[in-house]
């Protein structure tokens, strides 16, 4: 029965009290990316399995261990997307977007699925905000994408996130580096875990990514990729750094970053948050991918992008006490006594909503006392009570729940205008009071 009342392991419900934070976070990130020219794309939740094994790489943990893959009723192997880059690249190719005006700049805000051991910021279903930029081999594109990553944290008010950057070189540098890694790790064949022994034969770079403490210790002494970069890759990486420095975007070079996905060439990076107790959390990552589009059947086209894990970003924002916009609360609650007043309350609440107010009336058949209690509980700013007398007179009182002040209000065509004027009057009065408390000279805000 627990299956009916608890969500699957590694998944999380986002309850109504949390959704305003999510909406704010997602809107802010998409709008920030828009300022850099990125437009949102929405891609399917599942794709043909081969798309991920070809792009993410079939020696990666993501493909080998973490994919939610199943055979559908048409006997096709499909996979819930473990990330967004492959799907966006597939869609860009499918719809011919890479032939149009380049660079192509795409943003996305998606759920992803990885069969990982849940815990410390790891989920099986999680959210990514990401961007992909296609068509520019220039370091200018790398710096622009890094600048956006930095700006995202700035606008959210997050302090302790650092950009750690590295270069994985081109296939030529990688060939020489792979050989150097093989030579190094071969000395430790007796100590490496069985998975890494396999990795050593198929893709030695993956050994640098192993989570086992012993392998990590061995990997710490491995040669650095930066010593194996060709002149072109070195110059590219240097220009990325020079541009970041010129724009005063803080970063640090971290030669141990290899990333867990296979498609990267040249610049790679991670966004790392360090808590006051020193705990590090990688809340985003990305890099350049030179061969991906070709691998998927397109003309050679360079891409670069990043994705951040939104569960992690939100947990950092909460830990750092970042500001979120105040939640919307009810502007006007219309309480009523009796059937006729109930209908009038519904009619007036509806009228207010069509004018853009947040308005509610009773749906539970409660007493006026209980309705007032409810209005208080939901934080209604104003209440109106309707009974027989009010209906007969065609007039009621609009009461401020903050200071108890009341204003008469006609239940006719002027109703929503009067609500608007009263709310504005009170807002100005509050503003003037706050200004006076701060010792600011009085001003006429009404015009
Ligand atoms: P990734 O590093 O695999 O890169 O994932 C990006 C971010 O997603 C991570 O830094 C982390 O914040 C979040 N994330 C990953 N797995 C989980 C999980 N199980 N639970 C919660 N959060 C998670 C990519 O996915 C690349 N597609 C990024 C990219 C875009 N590269 C180029 N363009």
């Amino acid at each position: 029965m627990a299956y009916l009342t608890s969500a699957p392991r590694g998944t999380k419900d986002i309850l109504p009290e949390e959704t305003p934070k999510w909406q704010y976070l997602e809107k802010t990130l998409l709008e920030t990316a828009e300022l850099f020219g990125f437009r949102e794309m929405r891609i399917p939740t599942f794709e043909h399995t081969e798309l991920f094994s070809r792009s993410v790489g079939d020696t990666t943990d993501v493909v080998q261990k973490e994919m939610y893959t199943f055979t559908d009723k048409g006997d096709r192997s499909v996979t819930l997307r473990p990330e967004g880059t492959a799907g966006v690249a597939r869609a860009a190719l499918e719809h011919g977007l890479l032939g149009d005006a380049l660079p192509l700049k795409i943003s996305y805000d998606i759920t992803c699925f990885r069969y990982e051991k849940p815990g410390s910021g790891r989920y099986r279903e999680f959210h990514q905000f990401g961007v992909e930029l296609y068509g520019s081999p220039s370091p200018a594109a790398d710096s622009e994408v890094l600048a956006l990553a930095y700006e995202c944290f700035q606008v959210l008010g997050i302090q302790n996130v650092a950009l750690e950057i590295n270069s994985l070189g081109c296939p030529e540098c990688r060939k020489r580096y792979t050989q150097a890694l093989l030579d190094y790790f071969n000395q430790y064949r007796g100590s490496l875990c069985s998975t890494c022994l396999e990795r050593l034969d198929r893709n030695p770079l993956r050994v640098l990514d192993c989570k086992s403490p012993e392998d990590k210790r061995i990997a710490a002494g491995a040669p650095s990729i930066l010593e194996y970069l060709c002149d072109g890759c070195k110059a590219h990486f240097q220009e990325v750094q020079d541009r970041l420095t010129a724009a005063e975007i803080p970063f640090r070079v971290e030669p141990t970053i290899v990333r867990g996905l296979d498609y990267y060439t040249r610049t790679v990076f991670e966004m790392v948050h360090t808590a006051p107790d020193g705990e590090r959390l990688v809340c985003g990552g990305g890099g350049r991918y030179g061969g991906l589009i070709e691998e998927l059947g397109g003309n050679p086209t360079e891409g670069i992008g990043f994705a951040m894990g939104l569960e992690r970003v939100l947990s950092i924002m909460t830990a750092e006490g970042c500001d979120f916009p105040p939640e919307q609360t009810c502007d006007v609650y219309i309480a009523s006594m009796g059937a006729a007043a109930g209908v009038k309350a519904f009619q007036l609440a509806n009228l207010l909503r069509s004018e853009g107010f947040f308005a509610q009336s009773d749906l539970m058949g409660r007493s006026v006392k209980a309705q007032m209690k409810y209005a208080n509980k939901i934080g209604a700013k104003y209440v109106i009570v309707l009974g027989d007398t009010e209906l007969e007179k065609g007039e009621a009182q609009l009461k401020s729940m903050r200071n108890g002040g009341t204003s008469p209000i006609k239940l006719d065509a002027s109703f929503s205008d009067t609500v608007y004027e009263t709310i504005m009057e009170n807002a100005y009065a509050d503003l003037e009071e706050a200004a006076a408390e701060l010792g600011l000279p009085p001003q006429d805000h009404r015009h």
Side-chain angles (χ1 to χ4, degrees):
M1 284 307 273
Y3 289 125
L4 300 182
T5 50
S6 54
R9 198 163 130 77
T11 68
K12 197 166 156 294
D13 299 308
I14 299 173
L15 300 179
E17 56 256 40
E18 294 169 90
T19 38
K21 290 187 176 177
W22 279 88
Q23 288 165 346
Y24 163 71
L25 175 62
E26 293 174 329
K27 187 167 177 278
T28 306
L29 292 172
L30 285 165
E31 283 178 1
T32 305
E34 215 174 300
L35 297 180
F36 285 70
F38 289 84
R39 293 190 306 155
E40 188 189 357
M41 182 188 272
R42 300 191 180 190
I43 48 172
T45 309
F46 60 90
E47 299 270 1
H48 297 293
T49 301
E50 204 187 343
L51 176 70
F52 300 116
S53 46
R54 287 286 278 275
S55 56
V56 171
D58 50 17
T59 62
T60 59
D61 277 1
V62 170
V63 168
Q64 285 208 327
K65 305 188 200 160
E66 297 168 4
M67 294 210 302
Y68 277 92
T69 298
F70 58 97
T71 308
D72 72 4
K73 290 197 166 64
D75 219 22
R76 296 171 208 94
S77 177
V78 291
T79 295
L80 300 182
R81 59 186 173 212
E83 55 109 55
T85 310
V88 172
R90 194 263 315 134
L93 269 173
E94 182 171 340
H95 301 285
L97 307 183
L98 296 171
D100 290 351
L102 294 175
L104 173 68
K105 293 172 165 183
I106 300 294
S107 61
Y108 52 90
D109 176 24
I110 58 174
T111 46
C112 297
F113 305 84
R114 295 186 192 179
Y115 191 79
E116 287 200 82
K117 195 167 168 219
S120 60
R122 248 178 291 111
Y123 297 91
R124 289 183 173 167
E125 181 184 21
F126 59 97
H127 295 74
Q128 274 191 351
F129 163 77
V131 299
E132 310 294 343
L133 185 157
Y134 299 96
S136 171
S138 159
D142 307 45
S143 341
E144 179 123 322
V145 164
L146 279 156
L148 170 57
Y150 179 69
E151 184 62 16
C152 286
F153 292 104
Q154 292 298 106
V155 291
L156 294 171
I158 296 175
Q159 300 290 333
N160 298 314
V161 170
L163 290 177
E164 297 188 346
I165 67 171
N166 189 23
S167 174
L168 293 181
C170 61
E172 279 311 305
C173 322
R174 194 83 64 82
K175 216 184 279 167
R176 288 185 292 126
Y177 181 54
T178 305
Q179 188 53 51
L181 279 182
L182 256 179
D183 294 346
Y184 174 78
F185 284 122
N186 269 335
Q187 311 169 67
Y188 298 96
R189 275 197 175 264
S191 319
L192 292 174
C193 73
S194 56
T195 321
C196 277
L197 287 176
E198 243 173 68
R199 287 171 171 152
L200 206 51
D201 295 329
R202 299 183 65 191
N203 185 354
L205 213 67
R206 291 270 75 86
V207 181
L208 296 172
D209 224 18
C210 183
K211 282 153 198 141
S212 114
E214 174 60 5
D215 292 8
K216 262 191 172 163
R217 198 187 56 74
I218 298 172
S224 156
I225 176 80
L226 295 180
E227 287 154 31
Y228 292 83
L229 295 184
C230 66
D231 288 347
C233 287
K234 240 185 233 160
H236 184 102
F237 193 41
Q238 189 56 51
E239 190 174 338
V240 175
Q241 295 175 59
D242 292 347
R243 281 177 168 261
L244 293 177
T245 307
E248 293 181 31
I249 295 166
F251 67 92
R252 53 175 179 256
V253 175
E254 186 45 74
T256 56
I257 295 177
V258 288
R259 312 278 299 127
L261 315 162
D262 271 355
Y263 42 61
Y264 295 111
T265 48
R266 293 197 159 170
T267 314
V268 286
F269 56 95
E270 285 181 341
M271 307 153 203
V272 185
H273 180 259
T274 309
D277 65 1
E279 189 162 326
R280 282 164 55 91
L281 180 67
V282 179
C283 56
R288 176 171 283 282
Y289 40 94
L292 175 64
I293 298 292
E294 227 179 328
E295 182 68 34
L296 301 182
N299 294 326
T301 310
E302 290 273 330
I304 179 162
F306 67 77
M308 46 178 90
L310 297 188
E311 282 76 8
R312 297 185 190 183
V313 173
L314 257 188
S315 78
I316 292 168
M317 289 178 73
T318 307
E320 286 202 353
C322 293
D323 286 337
F324 289 94
E327 215 184 303
Q328 279 261 65
T329 51
C330 181
D331 294 316
V332 184
Y333 184 89
I334 309 181
S336 57
M337 203 179 346
V343 173
K344 188 73 182 169
F346 166 62
Q347 184 207 335
L348 292 173
N350 230 16
L351 181 72
L352 286 180
R353 291 187 288 246
S354 70
E355 298 285 334
F357 290 99
F358 181 162
Q360 297 208 69
S361 63
D362 178 54
L363 304 180
M364 303 295 291
R366 288 186 175 123
S367 67
V368 169
K369 194 171 161 212
Q371 289 179 54
M372 295 300 280
K373 211 167 143 190
Y374 178 74
N376 209 15
K377 190 171 151 203
I378 62 170
K381 297 179 197 102
Y382 291 86
V383 290
I384 296 171
V385 181
L386 298 184
D388 291 341
T389 326
E390 284 78 14
L391 291 191
E392 270 161 35
K393 275 175 62 184
E395 190 177 297
Q397 296 293 322
L398 180 65
K399 179 178 172 190
S400 158
M401 294 291 268
R402 198 177 67 76
N403 58 24
T406 57
S407 330
I409 183 162
K410 289 213 157 48
L411 309 179
D412 59 14
S414 66
F415 181 74
S416 43
D417 283 348
T418 316
V419 167
Y420 178 79
E421 278 157 24
T422 311
I423 290 180
M424 288 309 279
E425 281 294 321
N426 285 347
Y428 287 134
D430 288 349
L431 199 66
E432 276 159 12
E433 203 179 299
E437 263 172 38
L438 289 171
L440 299 172
Q443 280 182 18
D444 192 354
H445 297 283
R446 288 170 178 74
H447 301 289

